[in-house]
Amino acid sequence: MRQNINVHDLGGRPVIVGAGLAGLMTALHLAPEPVVILSKVRLGEEAASAWAQGGLAACLGPDDSPDLHLADTLAAGEGLCDPQVADAVVRVAPAAVEALMGFGARFDKAADGTLMLGLEAAHCRRRIVHAGGDASGREIMRALISTVRRTPSITVLEGIEARRLLVEDGAASGVLGVGSCAPVLFSTGRVVIATGGIGGLFHDTTNPPGSFGQGLALAARAGVELADMEFIQFHPTALDRPDRPMRLISEAVRGEGAILIDECGRRFLEAVPGAELASRDVVARAVAAHLAKGHRVFLDAREKPGTAFASRFPAIAAACNARGIDPSREPIPVRPAAHFHMGGIAVDARGQSSVPGLWACGEVACTSLHGANRLASNSLTEAAVFTRWAAESVGGAAVRSNPRPVSLSVPCAADPTMLRCLVSRILGTVREGQALLDAIPLLVSLANRKGPASDPAAIALMTAVSLSCGKKAEVLTSAPTFHGGARAPGTRALPSSRRSRPDGI
Ligand code: SIN
């Protein structure tokens, strides 16, 4: 039912939807230009950024170079990265680390004052800048929140959920926000979506439950172009305990020498090139395949890092201890979990989407940096780099605002609970062609109903359709089983065909 909506004219100020690293850093880069941040919850709560353990990848070591970082990024991306984007990102990654330090982030340093650099899978050098050992995201968010709160040009509206993105005459014109009071239309010609990923659509995930693709749904329903929806990364080592969401056991633990074993103590990855430090999709598939054969899988850190575990990884050690596991004395049970979405709102190198006046950054954006598989700790780097580029573009864009009374139907709050089982079955580490096709009619029907499952179903539908249409000829007819986060051999979608407009949803 349509209702008359209060219109709040922002006088041309940009609205940033989302308050993780990407939203906060964009606002800070825009300062002193006035901006409004809409946050569904209190700052810092439910932001996946705060849960990041690894850190930021940047070539800062004396033995490292942008070319080496680029080569590792392209190799992990399975030939589907945009090499120009990757080249540009790795070159400014050290400056993005500097920018975060400028906003107050305190990264771990060696006795000589240089940044300590960790090693993670598929990196040929130590290049992960971290904080508090394994509490990088927590420290970054602490620093950003404190700086944002002290920045007079930034207005933070907490407890406001964006329910619709308005597009008029082909350009962004505002955001419909819903909080404890009557719905409000924030009228502005400049909107930045920074709402994070989609892991909350899955039962097994390392993401906060609120990260289930709301920003993507807003964009999709406004006709914004999306790309690579099927590129979902599964982390191989989430703590295998009954509680959800799952605790991540950082790849940095394998970087410090921990190995993967099964219940018989067998190191089943030994024969795989790179073994435990092969790229994330390779390790996740190997772990999933071993579990599917009826084995259990453990991360064995008893020898390395051994007794140093708790000092190097204090948060992980505490999480394990709370569940009765001492990682320096016993192997940690692990299984893969949905971790990161490489697809999302298709953006260019300025973070600009296909709709004028709409930018996206952070996990919700598809910058084509990662291709089909993201290199460890390149995500915070990507977000930090793109927030600057997006802010420059937002700041330089013509201010266009045309506030006028509107009458709109206000969508209800989304809830993915009833979809998690289906999504986990059809879009998990192993995807089966017929199951995907069978699920599509149900997803279409749910996506078209006006209920809490409607937006989550739309996201699942677009992902399933990307999988079954884009590669139908090559995959579904010839090899019915293929894996999440990486394309089946011989399948290469062209850039234009990777992009989808969600018409008809
Ligand atoms: C990890 O610490 O293993 C995760 C880092 C990342 O997601 O890149």
Side-chain angles (χ1 to χ4, degrees), residues 213-230:
Q214 265 315 94
L216 283 185
L218 291 180
R221 292 196 186 276
V224 180
E225 204 171 86
L226 309 180
D228 290 347
M229 286 295 288
E230 72 277 33

Side-chain angles (χ1 to χ4, degrees), residues 35-55:
V35 297
V36 174
I37 298 177
L38 302 185
S39 176
K40 199 163 65 164
V41 289
R42 273 186 65 74
L43 285 194
E45 286 173 12
E46 280 201 26
S49 314
W51 293 15
Q53 296 179 356

Side-chain angles (χ1 to χ4, degrees), residues 82-218:
D82 181 326
Q84 277 182 339
V85 170
D87 187 68
V89 169
V90 298
R91 277 172 212 289
V92 298
V97 173
E98 284 274 330
L100 276 167
M101 294 197 291
F103 293 138
R106 294 188 288 255
F107 294 115
D108 295 334
K109 292 196 174 155
D112 65 358
T114 57
L115 287 166
M116 284 171 82
L117 300 174
L119 179 67
E120 289 183 7
H123 286 274
C124 70
R125 294 287 186 276
R126 285 191 167 266
R127 62 166 74 99
I128 316 301
V129 178
H130 48 83
D134 56 3
S136 307
R138 198 170 65 204
E139 166 57 15
I140 290 168
M141 286 299 286
R142 179 206 62 74
L144 293 178
I145 290 170
S146 142
T147 309
V148 160
R149 295 252 190 240
R150 284 184 279 112
T151 304
S153 60
I154 302 175
T155 304
V156 182
L157 300 180
E158 289 161 301
I160 304 277
E161 183 177 39
R163 294 267 177 89
R164 260 176 93 159
L165 170 68
L166 269 72
V167 172
E168 279 176 274
D169 302 327
S173 62
V175 175
L176 177 68
V178 176
S180 50
C181 303
V184 177
L185 174 64
F186 296 96
S187 175
T188 174
R190 292 181 294 168
V191 178
V192 181
I193 306 262
T195 48
I198 62 168
L201 291 174
F202 291 80
H203 183 248
D204 289 354
T205 180
T206 60
N207 292 184
S211 296
F212 54 81
Q214 265 315 94
L216 283 185
L218 291 180

